[in-house]
Amino acid sequence: MQGSRAEAELPPADWAADLLSFTDRLIASPDLQTVADEAVQASVALHRADFGKLKLIDPVSGRLRIVGQHGFSPDFISALETVSDCCCGRAVRRREPVIIVDIERDEGFAEYRAIAARAGFRAVQSTPLIDRSGELLGVVSTHFREPHVFSHCQMQAIAHYARYAAEMVARCRREQAARESAERQSLVNEELRHRVRNLLTVIEAIAWETARANPPEDFTDIFSGRLRALYRAQNLLMDFGVAGCDIRTLLREQLMLPESDPRVTCKGPALMLSAADSLDIGLLFYELGTNARKYGALSVARGRVAVEWSLPEGAEGMAMQLRWRESGGPAAEVPVRQGFGSKLIRRISRGNAQLRFEATGLTCDLTIPLRGANNG
C-alpha cells in the first residue's frame, strides 16, 4: 500500500517462540491488573506496534473500560474511553477482529479522528476476548503511528494470544468472585456467632428471672412464651438479613395480631433495628402485649393500644423515644412487686422510663439507646 510503513514480520518460528513466552508470563499473572498489563505488552510486541490497550466489559454497567494500556499519554486515557463505537465497538458487536488500515480513510472513524490525531495513531486493529464458554469479556487493540497493513501472520498471532488472555481474565474474575464470596460468608458466620452468643445470654437471663419471680408450676408456660417471643424476633432477623429488623413488623409479630386489627395503631419513621436491639425491643413488645391481653386494653373488645416512636434530632448518640399508650380498657393498677417486664423496661432504657398507671390504662414512655439502626 502507498504510504504504509514496511512491516517487519517475524519468521514463524520466532513468533511462535515469542507467543509461548508471552503466554507463560500471562498464565503466571497473579491478578486481573497484571493480566491486563501483560496482555497489552505482549500484543504490542507481537505486532511491533506503537500503542496498545485492553478494554474489558464492566459486569455491572456493560460498558467497555480501559484496564491496561501502553504508549498513550495519561491525558488521553479518559478521551479514549469515549472512543467506543469505532474499532473496539465494531469488534465487540461482530465478535470478530476489526482492522482499520488508515483511520483518515475510514468513514466510521470520522467522529474520533481528532482524538486519534492527538493520541498519535493512524492505524488500529481490535480483537475480541472470548473465553472457551463463549462469553465476550472485552477487546485488545494495537495501534500504529502511520497507516499499517496487518499481515495474516500478525492477526493469527493476536488471535491465538487473545484466546489465552480471555481465559486468564475469566480465571481472575472467578477467583475474585470466590474471594468475595468467601469474605461474605466469613462476615455472615461472624454475625451468626455474635447473634448466638447474644441469644444465649438473653435466654439465661430470662430463665433466671422467670424462675426467681414465679412459682414452679407457672415456670414452663411463662418461660415458653418468652422463648417463643425470642424465636419470632430471631426469625424476623433471618428474613431481613444483616440489615436488621423493621420495627413495625417486629411489633405486629410480638403482639401476635394481624396488621388489620384496629385495636393497635403504630406511628413513627421507617426504622431498621440492629440484631441486638431487635431482641430487646421484641421482648419489650411481647411483655407489654402480654400484660395488655391479661390485664389491660387488649383484654376487652373496646380497648386500644397506640405505639409511637421517634428519633429526636440533636440527641446525644442514637436513641429512640418510644411511647406505649393504652386506652378503653380497665384502669391500670400499680403492681405489688417488680416483675420481669418492669426490669426489662428499666434495663433497656437505662432507667430513663416513665410508667403511668391511670384510670384510662397504662402509659409507658421510654428513651431507648440503640446499638445500631437505619432510618429512612
Side-chain angles (χ1 to χ4, degrees), residues 285-297:
F285 286 152
Y286 170 75
E287 292 295 324
L288 290 171
T290 299
N291 185 75
R293 276 193 299 273
K294 287 183 177 181
Y295 314 111

Side-chain angles (χ1 to χ4, degrees), residues 45-370:
L46 284 170
H47 281 184
R48 300 296 193 262
D50 299 303
F51 310 94
K53 69 177 183 291
L54 185 140
K55 288 185 172 183
L56 293 181
I57 299 173
D58 187 282
V60 177
S61 68
R63 298 175 61 86
L64 285 169
R65 184 174 64 86
I66 296 175
V67 295
Q69 67 91 18
H70 169 82
F72 292 109
S73 167
D75 298 339
F76 289 108
I77 296 302
S78 59
L80 290 171
E81 290 276 14
T82 67
V83 185
S84 58
D85 197 36
C86 50
C87 197
C88 290
R90 294 181 215 174
V92 167
R93 288 196 303 275
R94 299 174 187 176
R95 296 174 66 93
E96 62 183 24
V98 171
I99 296 172
I100 300 178
V101 174
D102 185 356
I103 63 173
E104 295 296 330
R105 297 176 179 272
D106 187 272
E107 293 183 2
F109 212 100
E111 181 181 351
Y112 306 108
R113 284 173 186 162
I115 295 176
R118 292 199 304 272
F121 66 90
R122 282 280 298 272
V124 58
Q125 72 76 34
S126 294
T127 299
L129 303 177
I130 301 173
D131 70 9
R132 69 182 66 185
S133 72
E135 182 179 0
L136 178 63
L137 301 175
V139 61
V140 61
S141 303
T142 49
H143 309 251
F144 295 80
R145 297 186 186 278
E146 302 296 335
H148 183 84
V149 175
F150 294 82
S151 72
H152 174 72
C153 184
Q154 281 184 319
M155 296 311 297
Q156 188 178 24
I158 200 68
H160 281 293
Y161 193 73
R163 285 196 291 272
Y164 285 113
E167 288 303 317
M168 294 305 101
V169 168
R171 181 203 70 185
C172 288
R173 285 186 166 175
R174 288 194 299 269
E175 291 175 350
Q176 179 63 27
R179 285 193 294 270
E180 291 174 355
S181 177
E183 289 172 1
R184 286 194 298 270
Q185 187 60 51
S186 177
L187 289 174
V188 169
N189 290 342
E190 182 57 34
E191 174 68 14
L192 181 59
R193 283 192 289 270
H194 182 67
R195 289 186 182 184
V196 168
R197 286 195 297 268
N198 285 345
L199 192 60
L200 288 175
T201 300
V202 173
I203 290 173
E204 288 177 351
I206 291 174
W208 188 87
E209 284 290 343
T210 304
R212 188 194 64 80
N214 296 278
E217 60 270 19
D218 294 336
F219 173 84
T220 299
D221 289 342
I222 297 173
F223 182 64
S224 296
R226 288 167 178 164
L227 279 185
R228 285 192 291 271
L230 278 180
Y231 167 77
R232 287 190 293 273
Q234 191 66 37
N235 202 43
L236 284 177
L237 286 170
M238 297 297 290
D239 290 340
F240 281 102
V242 296
C245 184
D246 171 56
I247 189 172
R248 293 175 186 270
T249 307
L250 180 64
L251 173 64
R252 288 290 177 178
E253 285 288 316
Q254 295 297 40
L255 295 186
M256 295 175 286
L257 294 173
E259 190 170 352
S260 58
D261 194 315
R263 294 181 297 166
V264 177
T265 61
C266 54
K267 180 181 179 181
L271 182 61
M272 298 293 288
L273 299 169
S274 70
D277 290 330
S278 295
L279 293 181
D280 280 348
I281 295 173
L283 271 178
L284 172 68
F285 286 152
Y286 170 75
E287 292 295 324
L288 290 171
T290 299
N291 185 75
R293 276 193 299 273
K294 287 183 177 181
Y295 314 111
L298 297 182
S299 67
V300 296
R302 67 179 184 277
R304 297 290 184 268
V305 174
V307 184
E308 299 180 16
W309 63 89
S310 63
L311 296 171
E313 294 185 5
E316 184 177 352
M318 176 71 78
M320 175 178 66
Q321 299 287 344
L322 178 70
R323 167 170 286 189
W324 172 285
R325 183 168 56 85
E326 299 181 26
S327 61
E333 298 181 359
V334 179
V336 296
R337 60 180 176 82
Q338 190 179 68
F340 177 80
S342 299
K343 290 185 177 181
L344 178 65
I345 288 172
R346 189 175 72 248
R347 180 176 67 82
I348 68 174
S349 70
R350 298 180 187 174
N352 196 353
Q354 293 182 348
L355 279 72
R356 296 190 295 276
F357 302 90
E358 302 170 338
T360 54
L362 172 67
T363 297
C364 181
D365 288 305
L366 305 90
T367 298
I368 303 176
L370 299 178

Side-chain angles (χ1 to χ4, degrees), residues 13-34:
D14 289 344
W15 83 245
D18 280 355
L19 184 62
L20 180 60
S21 175
F22 295 148
T23 302
D24 287 342
R25 293 209 304 269
L26 189 69
I27 293 173
S29 298
D31 53 50
L32 184 58
Q33 188 59 59
T34 307

